[in-house]
Amino acid sequence: MKNKIRLILFLCIVGNSINAQNGLTATEKLASFGKIYGFLKYYHPEVSKGKFDWDKEFMNYLPQVVAATNKESLSKVYIDWIESLGEIKKCKKCDSVENYFDKNFDLSWTQDTAIFTNDLSSKLKYIENNRNQGDNYYVSTEPIGYIKITNEPIYEGIEYPTEEYRLLGLFKYWNTIEYFYPYKYLTDQDWDAVLKEMIPKIQNTLNKSDYQSTLKELVAKLDDSHAWINFGDIANIKSLPVKISNIENQAVISGFYNDSIADLNNLKLGDIILKINGSDVKSELEKKLKFVSGSNQNSKINKAYDYLFIGIEDAVKLTVARNRDTLELTSNRYDFGVFNYLKNKKKTKSKSITENIGYINMASDFIKKDIDDIFKSFENKRAIIIDLRHYPQLKYNLFLRHLNSVKKEIYKAYDPSIHYPGNFIFRETLKTSASRKTYNGKVIILVNHESLSRSEFTAMAFQTVDNAITVGNKTVGTDGSNKMIEYMGGYKTAFTGTGILYPDGTESQRKGVKIDVEIKPTINGLRQGRDEVLEKAIEIANE
């Protein structure tokens, strides 16, 4: 059976130009099959109950789809398939009007007269209008709102599947994003176009390495910094003791994971890395970018730098520009735990910068008493600076009870609907805590290119304070809970599972949080050991 499928797929590729004369290319046929496969899986009442081995159905109908010569023969394959699945009863609940977030919803393809006959389009519309309203065998909703993919064979250990299974994996993933990814409407490339682009790429992969690179490229199409795919090959990865960021369009050492270890390796703040192991950094960056998912260009570049400078080798050769000198350095790489970075960055919970300015490091671990004591000690200060340039605990409300005298909306959130896939349901609006006795001075929020996800969400919460000012530079632009799922072969992958908006409907995804005063770090500032964002916040506090 498998040999037959491969032969038909090969003949289909060869005959692609012939089929094009009839209005259907091999890719168009396969794309329609992928869409039908996912649509019936989540919409058809009998299929969504788990009555069929849906992967087996895919394998049974793939040869027929490939062999179809025009839209009439292709549509007949789909009509026969639908009629074999059982009767669909009229759905009374499906007529109810809901306040959906519908920017991701698009079933217009079911009515595409270039691909489908009117008879098939009518059947697909009928299924939409009488869709499954009970539990779905393949997807459920978790308590916090986002979806849980269920009852999917993992095919663990099949690192490089045969062509038909590579297509099956692609279609499973594509439909998960099609119906349940809250930010599909914000991607740079239309998701329908992604399917058509990736089909031949998946088909034509030559080996495991090529296949995995193609999957990385697919995941990168989400334009989501929460998105990644892991092939179980990250053991023994080592890191430089420094952060490398995109500053003034250069790869620049912007911080330390461990300053003592960085000093041992002669790595300084503001160093511009020109080459790695003799290769031009900018050229190596360009090679990696299409495989890296990031919510905006800057976050993609910074993530690409992370991947570029890690490795399994103990040392790496760097060509560095420092002031007017060009240096050839050999830097050791280390297991990340050696740096004690997470522990060190939490050390300072709060401090007085001056008599009139307080500072809170949100990366620290707080209990309620800590927070109460901080605000008691800061009650007479003119300004409090709240630093969200690192990942915080989810305790913003314990802070806001000292800052807001009335409850305020923080955000609008929307979660996937499993009863009308592609639509999303608005969650009950979350409001801040409030107290009669609150701090009345300036609240200055610090953010930057490292402010990600919970940092951004927490910044949005602090922005509800009446006299809040946000200072810094564009954040990562990834807001909402991170959702991990399985990809065929036992691989792990993830994407943002919940949609987040400001109360006025403005997106924080991709754009980052709203910033009142923009300050970008400079290479000269780093070389001088300055924190230019904090300096600006202090200047505003003193005004």
Side-chain angles (χ1 to χ4, degrees):
M1 179 66 180
K2 290 183 178 179
N3 288 335
K4 182 180 177 182
I5 292 173
R6 292 191 195 106
L7 176 61
I8 294 174
L9 285 168
F10 173 75
L11 292 174
C12 185
I13 294 169
V14 171
N16 194 50
S17 60
I18 298 173
N19 284 331
Q21 296 174 7
N22 294 320
L24 292 179
T25 66
T27 296
E28 286 173 333
K29 288 189 295 180
L30 288 172
S32 74
F33 186 39
K35 292 178 182 180
I36 292 282
Y37 169 83
F39 175 76
L40 294 178
K41 183 178 189 176
Y42 297 124
Y43 271 77
H44 195 291
E46 299 303 303
V47 177
S48 58
K49 290 175 185 175
K51 289 187 175 182
F52 300 87
D53 183 333
W54 206 234
D55 289 4
K56 185 177 179 181
E57 291 282 315
F58 173 90
M59 293 300 168
N60 286 341
Y61 280 92
L62 177 58
Q64 298 180 50
V65 169
V66 171
T69 56
N70 52 39
K71 78 172 183 180
E72 285 75 22
S73 58
L74 180 64
S75 293
K76 187 177 186 309
V77 171
Y78 295 143
I79 289 170
D80 290 345
W81 192 14
I82 290 169
E83 290 180 348
S84 74
L85 300 174
E87 181 183 358
I88 301 174
K89 296 179 180 179
K90 280 281 187 179
C91 172
K92 295 179 180 179
K93 292 182 181 179
C94 296
D95 293 332
S96 61
V97 178
E98 298 280 351
N99 180 30
Y100 289 119
F101 179 88
D102 61 1
K103 289 185 177 181
N104 294 298
F105 182 78
D106 183 12
L107 289 179
S108 61
W109 61 267
T110 65
Q111 308 303 303
D112 187 349
T113 57
I115 305 291
F116 303 136
T117 61
N118 292 335
D119 187 15
L120 175 58
S121 291
S122 296
K123 286 185 180 296
L124 296 175
K125 191 66 177 178
Y126 180 84
I127 294 170
E128 177 192 347
N129 292 337
N130 298 279
R131 60 195 173 273
N132 173 57
Q133 292 298 294
D135 293 338
N136 192 301
Y137 182 73
Y138 297 103
V139 63
S140 60
T141 303
E142 296 188 320
I144 50 178
Y146 51 64
I147 54 105
K148 180 179 181 180
I149 302 297
T150 56
N151 297 307
E152 288 285 1
I154 298 174
Y155 303 100
E156 194 165 5
I158 306 177
E159 296 179 319
Y160 180 54
T162 56
E163 184 176 327
E164 61 270 23
Y165 279 93
R166 297 200 299 273
L167 286 170
L168 176 60
L170 170 64
F171 294 161
K172 284 172 180 278
Y173 181 82
W174 187 88
N175 280 290
T176 299
I177 301 304
E178 171 73 4
Y179 292 115
F180 306 119
Y181 176 47
Y183 298 124
K184 187 188 73 169
Y185 76 104
L186 291 175
T187 56
D188 286 340
Q189 187 177 357
D190 176 75
W191 194 237
D192 184 71
V194 170
L195 180 62
K196 292 174 182 175
E197 177 187 340
M198 297 310 297
I199 284 172
K201 288 186 175 183
I202 285 286
Q203 286 180 300
N204 296 326
T205 56
L206 301 174
N207 49 46
K208 184 180 82 170
S209 177
D210 191 20
Y211 173 60
Q212 291 181 347
S213 292
T214 303
L215 294 184
K216 287 180 182 179
E217 185 179 353
L218 170 64
V219 172
K221 303 285 189 182
L222 297 189
D223 298 318
D224 178 16
S225 292
H226 272 153
W228 49 263
I229 187 163
N230 177 7
F231 305 116
D233 55 356
I234 60 173
N236 303 317
I237 294 295
K238 298 180 179 181
S239 305
L240 294 174
V242 293
K243 298 179 184 180
I244 299 168
S245 302
N246 180 38
I247 297 176
E248 298 180 20
N249 295 316
Q250 304 266 21
V252 179
I253 295 178
S254 60
F256 299 127
Y257 292 122
N258 185 296
D259 53 359
S260 298
I261 296 176
D263 190 53
L264 286 174
N265 288 276
N266 192 22
L267 298 173
K268 309 292 183 183
L269 287 175
D271 283 355
I272 303 169
I273 302 180
L274 304 175
K275 293 182 180 181
I276 176 171
N277 290 329
S279 297
D280 181 71
V281 164
K282 289 189 176 181
S283 298
E284 292 301 310
L285 174 68
E286 287 302 316
K287 293 176 187 177
K288 285 195 175 291
L289 276 177
K290 79 171 183 175
F291 303 110
V292 175
S293 185
S295 298
N296 51 56
Q297 186 65 11
N298 195 53
S299 66
K300 287 184 182 183
I301 292 172
N302 286 324
K303 190 184 285 190
Y305 283 150
D306 288 341
Y307 293 138
L308 182 59
F309 290 100
I310 62 174
I312 60 174
E313 296 83 8
D314 291 333
V316 61
K317 293 182 179 179
L318 303 175
T319 303
V320 170
R322 181 180 298 164
N323 299 319
R324 295 182 180 180
D325 299 323
T326 300
L327 309 176
E328 300 293 336
L329 306 176
T330 297
S331 174
N332 291 320
R333 290 196 281 214
Y334 305 82
D335 293 331
F336 193 81
V338 171
F339 302 141
N340 287 320
Y341 174 66
L342 298 178
K343 182 178 179 180
N344 290 334
K345 75 176 184 178
K346 295 178 179 181
K347 282 184 178 178
T348 302
K349 291 185 178 181
S350 66
K351 63 182 179 181
S352 290
I353 293 177
T354 67
E355 182 179 345
N356 294 317
I357 303 171
Y359 171 89
I360 300 174
N361 173 23
M362 291 298 293
S364 300
D365 292 328
F366 294 97
I367 60 174
K368 182 178 179 297
K369 185 178 184 306
D370 293 331
I371 298 166
D372 293 342
D373 290 347
I374 287 169
F375 278 96
K376 184 175 181 180
S377 66
F378 285 175
E379 62 184 353
N380 294 320
K381 293 190 181 295
R382 289 184 0 202
I384 297 175
I385 296 171
I386 299 177
D387 198 339
L388 277 165
R389 293 177 291 177
H390 298 291
Y391 204 74
Q393 292 177 293
L394 194 62
K395 293 188 176 180
Y396 59 87
N397 247 339
L398 292 177
F399 289 87
L400 286 172
R401 61 192 294 272
H402 294 276
L403 297 171
N404 277 328
S405 58
V406 296
K407 292 184 177 182
K408 294 183 180 179
E409 282 186 284
I410 298 175
Y411 71 103
K412 291 181 179 179
Y414 55 94
D415 301 313
S417 169
I418 63 171
H419 295 133
Y420 205 163
N423 280 304
F424 290 73
I425 303 168
F426 282 104
R427 195 189 301 175
E428 183 178 352
T429 301
L430 183 67
K431 293 187 176 182
T432 66
S433 297
S435 177
R436 292 180 181 178
K437 185 179 179 182
T438 57
Y439 174 77
N440 294 316
K442 293 178 182 177
V443 175
I444 304 172
I445 306 157
L446 306 188
V447 296
N448 70 353
H449 64 276
E450 292 187 58
S451 301
L452 163 72
S453 191
R454 189 185 293 172
S455 297
E456 295 174 290
F457 181 83
T458 304
M460 291 171 67
F462 281 120
Q463 287 174 341
T464 63
V465 178
D466 286 336
N467 46 1
I469 302 168
T470 304
V471 178
N473 46 79
K474 190 169 187 174
T475 60
V476 173
T478 300
D479 216 341
S481 302
N482 192 10
K483 175 63 188 172
M484 190 181 76
I485 62 172
E486 302 276 356
Y487 194 99
M488 178 186 289
Y491 301 148
K492 309 287 186 185
T493 186
F495 57 90
T496 305
T498 302
I500 300 291
L501 303 168
Y502 275 98
D504 65 3
T506 302
E507 293 107 347
S508 55
Q509 182 76 5
R510 306 209 68 187
K511 295 179 179 179
V513 300
K514 296 177 180 179
I515 295 174
D516 299 304
V517 180
E518 185 177 25
I519 296 293
K520 295 181 180 180
T522 64
I523 294 172
N524 282 337
L526 286 168
R527 287 173 175 170
Q528 295 166 19
R530 296 168 54 199
D531 184 338
E532 292 164 287
V533 173
L534 180 59
E535 287 177 359
K536 186 63 178 180
I538 294 170
E539 178 187 323
I540 292 169
N542 285 322
E543 288 176 351

